Amino acid sequence: MNEKRSRRAKLGLLQAAAWAALLCGCSGEGSDIGPTLPELPKASCKAVVLDDLGRGIVGASVVAGSGATPVFSGRNGRTELFADPRGRVVVEVNGAYAAAAAGDRLGALRVATTVVGPDLPSPIWLPELPDATAATLSLGTQVSTTVVTATSGALLTVPVGSSVGLPSTAANVTVRAGVLQAAHLPGDLPAPVTGAILFGRGLFLDPPAVTFAPAADLDVPDDLLLGGAFASLYRLDDTTGEWTEVATGFTSAGNRIQAPGVVATGGLYVFGTVVAATTVSGRVDDAATPPVPVLPVRDVMVNVDHRRTLTDTAGNFVATGVPATFGDGSPRLAVIELFAGGFWLPARLEATVLVTGATTNASTLVLDTMFAGNVRVQHIVRGRADTLRESRISTVLGDVALATTSDANGQLYFEDLPSEWFGFQDGLAKDADEVFYGQALAFLEDGRRWFDIYEFTFERPWYVGARSSRAIVTDALGGGPLMDAVIVQGSVPGQGFIGKTLESGTFVVTRDFAGRATASRRSQRGGRTIVHAFSIERPDGEHIELPLQRVLRAPLGAFDRHGLVAGDVTGADPSREHRLRVTRRISRQEWWADVAEGVPIPSSLPIDVDPATTHAAYQAGVAVAGGNLAAAELATTPVPTLLKAGIVADFVPVEGGFVPLDIPLDLVADTPFVVSGAFTGASADIDRTSLTYALALLQPSRRVVDVARGLGYADVPGPPDPSLTFVLPELIGSLEENQWLVLLQGSKVVGGATLSHSSQISLPRAPGSTFQLPTGFPTISSPAEGAAVPATGFTLQFGLPPGSIYATIELRSDTGAELRLWQATVPGTATQFSFVQLPPEAVTPLVAGRTWSLSVTAAFDGPEVLPDISDPYRDQSGFAQSIGTSERGVRVVASRTITITTN
């Protein structure tokens, strides 16, 4: 490790001792004894699978060598082979059940490659096979001519009289055409004795086993610029994985290359022509910023056009045999594509360099990567596996934060986590006195590919009195510590600087924090900037969390690891509207945060065939550790109303595979669920004619199934009823121990301000339970709607409705390129909050010349939740990140939002 980085790590070790102790199992009550993670194979070799646009393919099957066990690509298109292949190896990659984008169809390749380094020497790009290129042919002699057109403009013509064959008993075959850029052609392409071969775009004809006798015609755009030169046609043998020449002597006419009678079977084809050669060299450095020094990146997979090489230990590369000109001798740009090797965080960079003769220097290229590995997690509580548990993690460096759900053994792993410091923080309300809480900080060494941690959760009081507070600045999503955040105490303009966080993200400060605790930080990545400050007014107790948003690194892939399921939504009326929701197993808090707070569930799964279009057939991905599918049939007038639903809960798919699964619409919405007196005393600003709600199923495990969103509340006719009535499916049979969760929402513009509210309601109601919609909304007396306020600071004057346990304040301005955000938590008795200029060591969100939304949101608890907690604000405000809004017992929120400007 670099000396400066090592010194920084040692400083962090001293400050992180308390967190690291938890990692070793020091949590009491026997929690240091529990299940262990299974041992992994010692061998390691990584493969990368991408589509032609460079997106990570999730769920592609990879088999490297005869008899090897298939493995499947993850969220960055990368997978671990747990093997040590060497020499010439045939790699089979199948994207039949994989996805780079929802609804895509990917091909399969068998490629021979020589493995000399720690990983496969190059990514494998799979062609997409769009339905728009498809043509269905009857097996046997053709009675008419069929043309298959690729997105590149290439044409495959199967003439009348040609016999189409397939090694199966099917009556017909659907032929699809896919395209690969020349730089993405797989394997080792042919090379002449002198010069180089310039290859064009590849054409993949699926299925490879289809045959044409006599052979079909091929007609492609001349992207070789042949001029008077000749081209040859090559095919990748789908058995050996080697390239062979099919035919030669083709010329260009009208900017197209025509090759009649050359395609006897499917597979991957490409034209090439011999030209002069050049050698392209360069260097690859990482994208570190001071004070961290820039370092060379070794083992980078470098493609220069279709020539493969790796960077050495100094980050240098040399690619020989690169085409120097087009076929007509005109100069060309060489395409350089970099992909970080298996010891590094997945990162891809594409660049071009003008070929300048026999040698070409590409100079220094910067690849935004760093050392990385995979982290396996075992959740343990009281010495036993804590199963199906939401798990979050984030890194100090590298801007990665992840969240998912563990499996039935309480186990999971996070892929491609940047090396050095990472951590987690996890909390869950137990009762009015205690919470389950866990926290850890760990160090992943450079070059370590797998690292195991045991996340222990233990019981602790909500409130612990002390002379001082340990303030923890954490990533808002992952819960791990943030470095370089400034901690400020008090609210005196320009004063109160305490310090800047190191790897542990912590500072110890006097308990009252001079009345206010604030953390502030700026982050930048990929043209996006976030300036975020988070404040807690009147902090108390020894534990304070200050979560901050930062710009996170975007993964190369779009989805979680998943397996495909497909079938029909049975019992559907085609005249009705249909919706499908697919999620991993999620908690009540994740559902609340997504619907009520606009914080998306950190998970994404593809819906390839949507019953909204088909009204029957569907195809979707389900998370590998298990997930939920919910189909809904709706009437759309006068408002979207649930008629029927179908739920498949806790379904565990086959990773990288396919499982047939129908979703019967067997839950008929015919049972009224009444919430008595909900409107009694409710604010007159609630418009009951425009209410909408989201519906979820609360399982006995306390996890939820997300069923439907955007349903309209159909008010009963006649005089206003003080009750709410929802017509939903009856909870009988297998659902007898479940509950419906309704998240009722509404908004209204009053005097230029937007009033909005969200209320979470459990159905059926327990006997004697009460529920009330907001009795009022926060008021804002200053500043006024549309007012201009000084960018140097201003005081917000507001009022909260009776019964507010706390309020959140948010000042937000987002231009797309830059988000400036100040969030604060204040007691339910508060009447003002001063936005001030922070001390010069900190970054202040306030800036002149911006338009801002300013919101005050009051939170009310549900009477059935934590009724005996002594001081809700004091006890709960310290757990701002680890214990979410819904988990704290909040069931109703009401907010007022105005727009202001700064000058």
Side-chain angles (χ1 to χ4, degrees):
M1 189 192 302
N2 179 274
E3 181 182 352
K4 291 185 180 179
R5 288 182 177 175
S6 297
R7 187 158 55 245
R8 173 178 283 180
K10 291 173 183 176
L11 288 172
L13 271 172
L14 297 175
Q15 208 169 15
W19 284 29
L22 289 174
L23 196 63
C24 300
C26 185
S27 60
E29 297 196 29
S31 60
D32 54 338
I33 302 172
T36 58
L37 290 161
E39 187 174 352
L40 291 173
K42 301 299 182 185
S44 176
C45 178
K46 293 184 180 181
V48 178
V49 187
L50 308 173
D51 74 353
D52 198 43
L53 297 178
R55 298 174 298 193
I57 295 176
V58 181
S61 168
V62 181
V63 178
S66 176
T69 301
V71 293
F72 303 97
S73 56
R75 70 187 186 98
N76 286 306
R78 179 182 277 176
T79 187
E80 169 65 79
L81 300 177
F82 291 118
D84 189 23
R86 281 292 178 269
R88 199 68 176 165
V89 178
V90 175
V91 181
E92 300 177 48
V93 182
N94 191 339
Y97 302 128
D104 60 0
R105 183 192 302 267
L106 298 163
L109 294 172
R110 183 179 283 117
V111 181
T113 187
T114 300
V115 183
V116 294
D119 304 300
L120 297 192
S122 175
I124 296 176
W125 287 269
L126 294 183
E128 185 178 355
L129 306 172
D131 286 339
T133 70
T136 300
L137 306 175
S138 299
L139 296 186
T141 303
Q142 303 301 292
V143 298
S144 61
T145 296
T146 300
V147 179
V148 179
T149 304
T151 57
S152 64
L155 305 175
L156 174 76
T157 301
V158 183
V160 60
S162 178
S163 179
V164 176
L166 195 67
S168 74
T169 58
N172 51 53
V173 60
T174 298
V175 177
R176 292 181 171 84
V179 177
L180 283 178
Q181 301 175 47
H184 296 167
L185 295 170
D188 301 323
L189 281 92
V193 176
T194 60
I197 299 180
L198 173 67
F199 290 95
R201 283 170 292 190
L203 177 67
F204 182 77
L205 301 174
D206 183 75
V210 66
T211 59
F212 308 101
D217 305 333
L218 193 58
D219 182 342
V220 305
D222 178 16
D223 51 5
L224 303 175
L225 302 186
L226 282 177
F230 294 93
S232 298
L233 180 65
Y234 301 87
R235 179 179 182 271
L236 180 68
D237 189 292
D238 54 292
T239 300
T240 65
E242 305 282 4
W243 287 93
T244 58
E245 187 178 74
V246 175
T248 190
F250 302 105
T251 59
S252 177
N255 297 320
R256 297 188 71 87
I257 303 173
Q258 296 179 339
V262 294
V263 178
T265 185
L268 182 59
Y269 291 84
V270 64
F271 284 99
T273 186
V274 177
V275 298
T278 187
T279 296
V280 177
S281 60
R283 172 187 169 94
V284 181
D285 285 343
D286 68 13
T289 55
V292 177
V294 173
L295 296 177
V297 185
R298 61 176 172 83
D299 293 329
V300 174
M301 295 177 276
V302 182
N303 282 8
V304 184
D305 294 324
H306 43 77
R307 305 295 291 176
R308 325 283 194 216
T309 187
L310 297 173
T311 57
D312 60 20
T313 55
N316 298 316
F317 68 87
V318 177
T320 60
V322 177
T325 68
F326 285 107
D328 61 3
S330 60
R332 62 181 297 272
L333 295 172
V335 178
I336 303 174
E337 196 159 14
L338 309 179
F339 197 94
F343 286 104
W344 299 84
L345 193 65
R348 176 179 170 269
L349 176 70
E350 185 174 321
T352 58
V353 61
L354 179 65
V355 175
T356 55
T359 60
T360 301
N361 188 348
S363 191
T364 299
L365 302 173
V366 176
L367 188 62
D368 188 5
T369 187
M370 58 185 297
F371 281 111
N374 295 341
V375 173
R376 293 197 303 168
V377 179
Q378 171 71 66
H379 285 282
I380 299 175
V381 60
R382 293 177 175 172
R384 287 182 277 187
D386 193 5
T387 63
L388 306 179
R389 187 79 169 90
E390 182 186 351
S391 184
R392 296 173 180 265
I393 203 167
S394 60
T395 62
V396 173
L397 301 178
D399 299 322
V400 171
L402 304 170
T404 189
T405 305
S406 66
D407 63 16
N409 296 314
Q411 299 173 1
L412 70 146
Y413 71 92
F414 292 105
E415 300 175 76
D416 305 320
L417 210 65
S419 296
E420 300 198 21
W421 294 103
F422 68 92
F424 80 94
Q425 184 170 242
D426 184 28
L428 182 66
K430 177 188 175 187
D431 53 34
D433 298 316
E434 291 185 315
V435 298
F436 291 107
Y437 179 77
Q439 186 184 41
L441 179 67
F443 190 84
L444 177 61
E445 301 95 331
D446 292 354
R448 182 165 184 170
R449 294 200 168 193
W450 288 91
F451 184 70
D452 291 348
I453 65 171
Y454 293 83
E455 293 195 0
F456 299 102
T457 304
F458 60 95
E459 295 154 314
R460 58 151 287 164
W462 280 99
Y463 174 75
V464 176
R467 292 179 179 270
S468 60
S469 292
R470 187 167 69 103
I472 312 165
V473 184
T474 69
D475 179 271
L477 171 61
L482 286 183
M483 190 168 64
D484 297 328
V486 172
I487 294 180
V488 179
Q489 68 174 359
S491 55
V492 178
Q495 299 182 27
F497 173 69
I498 295 297
K500 185 175 289 190
T501 58
L502 296 177
E503 283 85 347
S504 69
T506 63
F507 260 92
V508 177
V509 186
T510 56
R511 193 175 87 184
D512 66 357
F513 251 95
R516 180 189 292 183
T518 299
S520 174
R521 189 177 188 269
R522 179 199 299 270
S523 66
Q524 294 176 296
R525 176 172 292 279
R528 172 76 165 167
T529 299
I530 294 179
V531 177
H532 188 193
F534 187 92
S535 299
I536 298 177
E537 201 78 359
R538 207 193 75 191
D540 197 355
E542 49 73 55
H543 179 84
I544 295 177
E545 299 167 6
L546 299 168
L548 294 178
Q549 296 181 30
R550 57 175 166 168
V551 186
L552 296 176
R553 183 186 297 266
L556 296 181
F559 306 114
D560 298 349
R561 283 183 175 266
H562 62 270
L564 288 183
V565 297
D568 287 328
V569 177
T570 60
D573 180 344
S575 68
R576 298 295 190 180
E577 179 180 330
H578 296 93
R579 301 178 185 176
L580 177 67
R581 297 200 63 80
V582 184
T583 66
R584 60 171 169 81
R585 290 164 164 144
I586 60 173
S587 67
R588 184 172 183 161
Q589 169 59 30
E590 288 183 289
W591 182 69
W592 165 276
D594 190 5
V595 181
E597 298 175 349
V599 180
I601 297 170
S603 175
S604 181
L605 297 162
I607 295 180
D608 299 324
V609 178
D610 196 335
T613 301
T614 66
H615 301 287
Y618 84 94
Q619 179 173 294
V622 177
V624 167
N628 305 313
L629 303 99
E633 181 171 285
L634 310 178
T636 55
T637 55
V639 294
T641 305
L642 182 69
L643 299 176
K644 293 187 288 186
I647 295 174
V648 178
D650 300 309
F651 183 83
V652 179
V654 175
E655 183 176 14
F658 166 78
V659 176
L661 178 70
D662 288 342
I663 305 176
L665 291 173
D666 54 358
L667 303 174
V668 179
D670 58 3
T671 302
F673 289 81
V674 179
V675 185
S676 300
F679 284 102
T680 302
S683 171
D685 285 321
I686 294 176
D687 181 4
R688 62 188 293 167
T689 65
S690 61
L691 296 175
T692 63
Y693 70 96
L695 182 67
L697 186 72
L698 179 63
Q699 302 173 291
S701 63
R702 313 313 292 172
R703 291 182 298 277
V704 302
V705 179
D706 190 358
V707 177
R709 306 275 183 92
L711 300 176
Y713 176 70
D715 210 350
V716 295
D721 188 323
S723 300
L724 281 164
T725 301
F726 299 92
V727 180
L728 302 172
E730 189 176 4
L731 295 170
I732 57 175
S734 61
L735 300 182
E736 189 172 1
E737 300 300 320
N738 294 260
Q739 283 184 295
W740 290 118
L741 284 184
V742 165
L743 213 164
L744 187 70
Q745 296 179 293
S747 64
K748 182 179 181 180
V749 177
V750 178
T754 300
L755 308 184
S756 57
H757 60 95
S758 297
S759 300
Q760 187 181 140
I761 309 167
S762 301
L763 301 173
R765 306 296 295 167
S769 63
T770 60
F771 175 84
Q772 186 178 51
L773 289 166
T775 58
F777 290 84
T779 60
I780 298 177
S781 56
S782 179
E785 162 64 27
V789 300
T792 54
F794 66 96
T795 297
L796 168 67
Q797 303 282 353
F798 60 91
L800 299 176
S804 303
I805 56 174
Y806 68 88
T808 57
I809 296 168
E810 180 178 278
L811 183 65
R812 174 186 293 265
S813 177
D814 195 343
T815 64
E818 182 184 57
L819 168 64
R820 287 184 168 262
L821 178 65
W822 196 327
Q823 294 172 309
T825 301
V826 301
T829 56
T831 59
Q832 67 176 34
F833 182 86
S834 295
F835 292 99
V836 300
Q837 284 291 317
L838 298 176
E841 296 86 353
V843 56
T844 303
L846 289 172
V847 67
R850 298 286 285 264
T851 299
W852 308 76
S853 65
L854 175 59
S855 301
V856 180
T857 301
F860 308 86
D861 63 351
E864 79 280 9
V865 183
L866 306 177
D868 300 322
I869 195 165
S870 58
D871 186 339
Y873 179 77
R874 181 199 68 182
D875 294 359
Q876 297 177 1
S877 61
F879 295 87
Q881 190 275 332
S882 61
I883 301 181
T885 307
S886 181
E887 292 170 341
R888 295 182 210 133
V890 172
R891 294 294 177 262
V892 178
V893 295
S895 68
R896 181 181 297 266
T897 302
I898 64 172
T899 300
I900 61 173
T901 58
T902 46
N903 55 25

